[in-house]
Amino acid sequence: MGLRLKFNLVLLLVFALGLAVTGYVSRHLLQENAREEVLRTAGVMMEAALAMRSYTVSQVRPRLRPMDQEFFPQSVPAYAATEILGKLHEKYPNYAYKEAALNPTNPRDRAVGWESDIINDFRNNQTRVEFAGIRDTPTGPSLYLARPLQITDPNCLACHTTAESAPPSMVKLYGSNNGFGWKHNEIIGAQIVSVPMSVPIEKANSVFLSFMASLTAVFAVLFVILNIMLSMLIVRPIRTMSAAANKISVGELDIPELPESGKDEVAVLAKAFNRMRRSLEKAISLIDER
Ligand code: HEC
């Protein structure tokens, strides 16, 4: 195996190893970044929903009472947050907010399969305050952020215990079958924000690809430069020297001197070689004179 081949094999091995490790680490970091970015967006959406809820409680509800004649859903925080973020959903269909409940007052809030799982998870782990996960949807992976909806305020039960105790105007609008029987401290549902992951993941993938492509290009250029240097500084001088040594070994002493330019190890070797050849010439001529 030639020197160049050995050198290139080691170089390729190091490059391949470097690419694999860098690729693995950078891909992991980029994916993690994408997830964090989406999680931040989901957190902001969740806070926006809470802001809408508290605005409704402090500024809308006091003005929409009394409700004996007519019930205004606009005074209900859950309704306000769902309606407002529903408008956002119309414009950005993959972004969604839902106040999912197992036994909802408004049927549109009924929890579907995966949402029920989240709610039951909160019911089984009462200390859990937030929960995030990723699920596959037809439009790509979607991140959800969920917080439990727990009845901590006894005032909630005025409308959510029985149809008889709830305001009649409300029962007229929503019926007497759903949204009742909630208990104090019970986790009756969950606020669930969904944010699409496909765009940040695509972005992370394209950043990853261009990063790896530029790294490969740098390696390729490095490979070529190192090969040229190897050829110029080591392989070619050594070949010349071994050809000269070959000729001398068969008695051909009338070959030109080797170039001695430079101060590196190869030049030192060439100088030593030339010196040795001159000594050999002298020794042979001494023998010939006798
Ligand atoms: C004045 C009656 C009333 C009170 C008091 C009330 N709610 Fe409701 N709640 C409703 C109505 C009506 C809806 C359905 C709104 C809609 O159409 O989206 C609702 C909906 C909800 C929902 C969405 C799920 C569903 O049932 O459709 C949650 C969660 C909720 N309420 C929690 C609470 C909590 C927590 C409190 C106490 C802080 C509370 N509610 C107090 C009337 C009330």
Side-chain angles (χ1 to χ4, degrees):
M1 202 191 287
L3 199 57
R4 187 202 297 268
L5 185 61
K6 275 187 198 159
F7 180 81
N8 278 341
L9 280 181
V10 172
L11 213 59
L12 277 179
L13 191 75
V14 171
F15 283 176
L17 217 69
L19 270 181
V21 172
T22 320
Y24 178 78
V25 172
S26 61
R27 193 180 176 84
H28 179 75
L29 282 180
L30 283 167
Q31 297 283 345
E32 196 57 32
N33 264 358
R35 194 187 128 93
E36 268 170 27
E37 188 189 315
V38 177
L39 200 58
R40 219 174 12 249
T41 310
V44 170
M45 241 175 111
M46 182 66 90
E47 289 306 320
L50 292 175
M52 290 161 203
R53 281 178 135 267
S54 89
Y55 165 82
T56 311
V57 171
S58 64
Q59 303 201 27
V60 179
R61 183 184 274 176
R63 297 187 180 265
L64 290 184
R65 278 183 182 164
M67 306 182 275
D68 300 339
Q69 306 303 320
E70 194 182 347
F71 186 84
F72 297 105
Q74 290 79 5
S75 66
V76 176
Y79 177 87
T82 306
E83 281 289 308
I84 297 172
L85 288 170
K87 293 276 174 233
L88 184 82
H89 179 69
E90 280 171 20
K91 188 150 187 204
Y92 298 100
N94 295 329
Y95 290 74
Y97 173 77
K98 185 166 172 182
E99 301 219 353
L102 296 175
N103 172 22
T105 321
N106 188 331
R108 75 172 167 186
D109 297 329
R110 185 172 298 284
V112 296
W114 65 278
E115 295 165 342
S116 309
D117 291 344
I118 294 176
I119 298 170
N120 285 324
D121 208 77
F122 280 131
R123 286 165 77 96
N124 296 332
N125 299 286
Q126 299 267 340
T127 47
R128 187 170 266 184
V129 289
E130 198 173 76
F131 187 74
I134 296 171
R135 62 189 194 92
D136 282 322
T137 68
T139 53
S142 169
L143 179 136
Y144 62 82
L145 181 67
R147 286 190 190 165
L149 281 165
Q150 189 169 20
I151 307 298
T152 48
D153 178 356
N155 292 331
C156 308
L157 298 175
C159 295
H160 290 297
T161 307
T162 59
E164 289 72 39
S165 58
S169 56
M170 172 186 146
V171 179
K172 209 164 85 188
L173 200 62
Y174 287 93
S176 54
N177 295 328
N178 305 311
F180 300 113
W182 297 4
K183 307 244 160 27
H184 188 61
N185 274 338
E186 186 188 355
I187 291 174
I188 52 91
Q191 291 174 281
I192 301 177
V193 167
S194 298
V195 178
M197 291 201 74
S198 40
V199 175
I201 282 184
E202 265 167 35
K203 216 164 69 184
N205 281 347
S206 83
V207 169
F208 175 73
L209 284 183
S210 31
F211 174 69
M212 291 310 280
S214 39
L215 206 64
T216 313
V218 169
F219 276 173
V221 171
L222 214 63
F223 189 78
V224 171
I225 292 178
L226 284 176
N227 257 290
I228 293 175
M229 285 183 68
L230 181 74
S231 182
M232 274 173 50
L233 298 177
I234 299 179
V235 175
R236 218 181 297 159
I238 286 187
R239 257 195 213 141
T240 322
M241 254 180 264
S242 66
N246 245 342
K247 283 187 178 161
I248 293 171
S249 74
V250 293
E252 271 184 58
L253 290 177
D254 56 342
I255 50 164
E257 293 246 310
L258 293 176
E260 296 181 356
S261 57
K263 282 185 178 162
D264 60 12
E265 290 80 352
V266 175
V268 171
L269 182 62
K271 274 181 204 149
F273 186 89
N274 286 338
R275 233 175 10 249
M276 189 182 74
R277 203 198 65 166
R278 281 195 294 271
S279 310
L280 202 64
E281 259 177 343
K282 255 183 228 153
I284 290 176
S285 66
L286 277 180
I287 295 170
D288 285 351
E289 277 169 23
R290 287 189 186 173

